């Protein structure tokens, strides 16, 4: 798993791996590509800013199993903390999910639904990011055509407001490699979840990986009903992800000692 997808070199788009003139094939729309021009090239970092291998990493999903888990302190003890899709980190939740963040993913649909595609809600967006301090925002700008413009707007908004956060664009080659790897393991879905992409990245970037909030079921280990997310009970669109299949693969890795899946309450 650690060698499957070359996360060290391909996790994000950089000047080193995506030169001017390269045709960047989108991983979510297989017949669409973007030829990198000077303007686009100029916004890429020279190399990945993630210094790897990192020692201890936490990947935090958003499952309702995190509620009342008391795992926040354990999450924050990691050297690098990854979160998914701008989850709330208010004081109501930090005891269970922690407050530390080095990288948080942002689905372009969030920019559309919460922030009107940043056409007139830019200040509100920047203010909402304060809780993530100086983290990287990881965005799949080159996965689907409709995600490119919102992702670029995030980049330029953060630049214009001189925000503490910065954007990393997911490299479609990395996402494609991860998707192929898990399909070969038996995960069949229209698209992998953000969480599985991030766990896959962590396994390539970190020496020790613990994952929290990865539990796709409606009851906990004791049979008690739990909400879908730790912060709400809104269900995802059906038929898009195969969360139980993904969890099974993560559990196999847990049993093999490749990573740790935290499901119980933290001591």
């Amino acid at each position: 798993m650690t060698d499957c997808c070359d996360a060290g070199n391909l996790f994000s788009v950089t000047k080193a791996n995506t030169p001017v003139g390269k045709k960047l094939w989108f991983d979510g729309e297989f017949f669409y590509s973007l030829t990198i021009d000077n303007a686009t090239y100029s916004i890429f970092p020279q190399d990945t800013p993630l210094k790897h291998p990192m020692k201890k990493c936490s990947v935090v999903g958003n499952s309702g199993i995190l509620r009342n888990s008391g795992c926040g302190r354990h999450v924050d003890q990691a050297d690098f903390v990854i979160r998914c899709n701008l989850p709330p980190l208010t004081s109501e939740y930090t005891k269970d999910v922690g407050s530390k963040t080095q990288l948080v993913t942002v689905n372009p649909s969030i920019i559309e639904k919460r922030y009107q595609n940043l056409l007139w809600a830019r200040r509100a967006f920047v203010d909402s990011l304060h809780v993530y301090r100086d983290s990287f925002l990881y965005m799949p700008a080159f996965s689907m055509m409709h995600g490119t413009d919102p992702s670029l707007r995030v980049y330029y908004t953060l630049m214009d407001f001189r925000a503490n956060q910065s954007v990393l664009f997911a490299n479609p080659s990395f996402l494609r490699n991860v998707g192929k790897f898990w399909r070969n393991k038996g995960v069949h879905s229209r698209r992998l979840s953000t969480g599985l992409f991030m766990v896959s990245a962590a396994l390539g970037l970190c020496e020790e990986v613990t994952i929290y909030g990865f539990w796709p079921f409606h009851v906990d280990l004791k049979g008690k009903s739990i909400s879908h997310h730790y912060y709400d009970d809104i269900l995802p669109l059906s038929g898009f992800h195969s969360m139980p299949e993904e969890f099974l693969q993560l559990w196999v890795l847990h049993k093999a000692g490749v990573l740790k899946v935290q499901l119980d309450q933290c001591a």
Side-chain angles (χ1 to χ4, degrees):
M1 178 67 229
T2 55
D3 299 325
C4 91
C5 309
D6 197 12
N9 294 314
L10 293 180
F11 178 64
S12 63
V13 176
T14 66
K15 287 182 171 69
N17 62 38
T18 310
V20 172
K22 180 171 182 174
K23 186 174 287 189
L24 201 61
W25 288 96
F26 284 41
D27 65 287
E29 293 182 294
F30 304 113
F31 302 106
Y32 187 78
S33 65
L34 176 71
T35 300
I36 302 302
D37 59 18
N38 286 312
T40 307
Y41 178 79
S42 69
I43 70 176
F44 301 154
Q46 180 60 45
D47 291 297
T48 177
L50 304 183
K51 305 305 178 185
H52 59 279
M54 295 175 283
K55 183 166 179 56
K56 184 176 181 180
C57 296
S58 294
V59 184
V60 187
N62 297 326
S63 168
I65 202 170
L66 280 170
R67 288 294 295 267
N68 301 315
S69 67
C71 287
R73 180 172 57 86
H74 295 259
V75 168
D76 288 348
Q77 285 175 349
D79 302 302
F80 197 84
V81 179
I82 300 172
R83 301 185 189 273
C84 300
N85 290 330
L86 297 180
L89 296 180
T90 58
S91 58
E92 175 185 357
Y93 303 119
T94 52
K95 181 180 178 182
D96 297 327
V97 305
S99 59
K100 185 176 178 180
T101 308
Q102 272 76 37
L103 184 143
V104 59
T105 68
V106 186
N107 192 309
S109 65
I110 294 174
I111 304 304
E112 177 185 359
K113 294 174 182 176
R114 293 188 199 172
Y115 302 104
Q116 297 78 50
N117 264 330
L118 294 180
L119 297 177
W120 56 78
R122 301 205 309 159
R123 168 58 71 182
F125 172 66
V126 172
D127 288 346
S128 74
L129 298 179
H130 289 169
V131 69
Y132 305 111
R133 300 172 190 171
D134 57 351
S135 62
F136 295 105
L137 273 57
Y138 187 69
M139 299 196 68
F142 309 109
S143 288
M144 306 286 285
M145 285 187 292
H146 65 259
T148 303
D149 284 347
S151 299
L152 294 177
R153 287 194 196 104
V154 169
Y155 174 86
Y156 286 113
T157 296
L158 297 185
M159 290 290 289
D160 289 347
F161 284 83
R162 298 182 180 180
N164 291 329
Q165 301 78 23
S166 55
V167 177
L168 292 178
F169 298 120
N171 193 318
S173 295
F174 172 73
L175 301 181
R176 190 178 299 111
N177 290 346
V178 172
K180 181 178 179 181
F181 176 86
W182 288 112
R183 279 195 302 274
N184 290 337
K185 294 291 184 179
V187 178
H188 302 292
S189 59
R190 289 175 60 188
R191 189 166 180 83
L192 300 180
S193 71
T194 298
L196 189 55
F197 279 121
M198 291 302 96
V199 171
S200 303
L203 288 171
L205 296 170
C206 310
E207 296 177 358
E208 179 183 338
V209 177
T210 303
I211 66 176
Y212 304 81
F214 282 77
W215 181 254
F217 308 111
H218 300 299
V219 296
D220 64 16
L221 296 173
K222 298 178 180 178
K224 180 182 177 181
S225 179
I226 56 175
S227 59
H228 184 69
H229 298 128
Y230 71 82
Y231 49 85
D232 68 31
D233 201 24
I234 298 175
L235 299 178
L237 295 175
S238 61
F240 203 72
H241 301 309
S242 297
M243 306 301 281
E245 286 184 5
E246 292 188 6
F247 178 77
L248 177 60
Q249 295 298 326
L250 294 174
W251 191 247
V252 169
L253 294 178
H254 171 82
K255 298 297 286 185
V258 175
L259 53 71
K260 179 181 178 182
V261 179
Q262 178 67 43
L263 296 176
D264 296 315
Q265 290 184 335
C266 293

